[in-house]
Amino acid sequence: MTETAITRWAVLIEYDGTDFVGWQRQKDGVSVQTLVEAAASRIASGHPVSSITAGRTDSGVHAAGLVVHLDFPAHTNFRSHQVRDGLSFHLKPHRVVVLDAAPVSLDWSARFSATWRRYRYTIINRPSRPALMEGRAWHVKRPISIELMQEGANRMLGTHDFSSFRASACQANSPIRTLDELSIRRDGEYVLIETQARSFLHHQVRNMVGSLMMVGTKQWTPDRITQALEARDRRAAGQTAPSEGLCFLAVGYPDNPFLKKH
């Protein structure tokens, strides 16, 4: 579709990533992108609808507030609730739900207009394996010191070369990223790690969590985080934390389209 032949909508979605190969369409397996575009095509009377997302979550990763923009044919005339409810209806029985929808201009992009992205990683810290939280948290049996974890996390705040914390398949042009927040807190049996930045490298959050777990369980000292950063070598950092503990929480824009909808 040409620019003059489309109308653009921003949608806010949540999903349980357990059964998906991630956001992005893959040769094998079910992706969230495939489901969302198919649902959008259904409410657009069968016309193809393309999408751009603020973040490409990996297989098994969840989302509580991922923003996507959809390009519908220009002749479609929807109201916000029709896009929200129509998409959610056609996404059944999959655990993907549209929370909100708003019309946006053609120069607005879910990806490029974003100024920050926020993730939460959940660890369940107890001897017994999880039942209710299976598939939604990383089970770590060893006692965790959140004070030590936070001391290690503080070493990563600010602007650094995160080569040691990105996947070998990462396609980003530069390993330089700026972490605005990396906070650790405990809520009963749960250790919650939240981080925010303009953008992240592939597997960066999960690799940071894997290293911080080593610090929190006293297998590493916080100084080891500094050493890993300085090494600029993936082998210097800890394991990649399991995908099921990660959730894409939110994405920010200078003008939140969902506050301006009509």
Side-chain angles (χ1 to χ4, degrees):
M1 285 183 282
T2 63
E3 277 201 356
T4 56
I6 63 175
T7 181
R8 182 164 293 177
W9 281 79
V11 295
L12 180 67
I13 65 175
E14 71 173 22
Y15 53 82
D16 183 323
T18 303
D19 297 327
F20 303 126
V21 295
W23 163 263
Q24 193 170 13
R25 184 184 294 103
Q26 307 286 334
K27 290 182 179 179
D28 300 307
V30 179
S31 72
V32 182
Q33 181 180 25
T34 298
L35 295 175
V36 170
E37 290 182 355
S41 179
R42 293 286 295 276
I43 68 172
S45 304
H47 292 277
V49 177
S50 63
S51 67
I52 296 291
T53 178
R56 297 178 181 177
T57 57
D58 292 324
S59 176
V61 176
H62 314 293
L66 184 63
V67 176
V68 179
H69 79 241
L70 299 168
D71 287 340
F72 288 96
H75 67 266
T76 54
N77 186 22
F78 298 127
R79 298 179 67 84
S80 294
H81 74 275
Q82 293 174 317
V83 175
R84 180 197 65 202
D85 297 343
L87 289 174
S88 290
F89 176 81
H90 290 296
L91 284 164
K92 294 178 181 178
H94 302 284
R95 299 201 304 197
V96 183
V97 175
V98 175
L99 303 174
D100 208 346
V104 292
S105 63
L106 295 183
D107 61 359
W108 189 91
S109 167
R111 178 183 178 188
F112 295 110
S113 299
T115 55
W116 55 261
R117 292 157 176 86
R118 187 174 186 87
Y119 286 88
R120 173 187 293 152
Y121 196 95
T122 302
I123 294 174
I124 185 165
N125 185 214
R126 69 185 191 190
S128 300
R129 62 182 175 84
L132 296 178
M133 287 295 288
E134 183 179 7
R136 289 182 172 82
W138 182 15
H139 180 212
V140 176
K141 295 181 180 181
R142 299 177 64 146
I144 291 176
S145 165
I146 62 168
E147 292 77 18
L148 286 175
M149 284 187 79
Q150 187 63 65
E151 187 178 342
N154 291 344
R155 312 294 179 93
M156 291 189 273
L157 288 173
T159 303
H160 301 280
D161 181 325
F162 281 96
S163 292
S164 296
F165 297 90
R166 71 166 172 173
S168 59
C170 182
Q171 298 178 353
N173 292 328
S174 170
I176 306 299
R177 290 294 185 272
T178 301
L179 279 190
D180 299 315
E181 179 184 337
L182 184 53
S183 60
I184 323 289
R185 65 184 175 90
R186 181 179 285 277
D187 183 4
E189 297 173 327
Y190 299 102
V191 174
L192 305 172
I193 301 106
E194 293 198 11
T195 186
Q196 183 169 305
R198 185 178 186 91
S199 63
F200 293 89
L201 300 165
H202 191 199
H203 285 179
Q204 182 182 344
V205 178
R206 289 167 60 193
N207 290 338
M208 292 192 304
V209 170
S211 295
L212 291 174
M213 185 277 293
M214 297 292 285
V215 175
T217 53
K218 300 183 180 179
Q219 298 174 76
W220 285 6
T221 66
D223 287 340
R224 185 74 176 267
I225 298 296
T226 301
Q227 293 166 12
L229 279 170
E230 292 174 346
R232 298 180 176 88
D233 185 332
R234 179 68 190 92
R235 294 169 295 182
Q239 72 179 92
T240 303
S243 60
E244 60 261 29
L246 186 60
C247 183
F248 187 108
L249 277 189
V251 53
Y253 299 95
D255 294 308
N256 186 336
F258 306 109
L259 298 179
K260 300 166 57 178
K261 67 180 184 179
H262 54 274

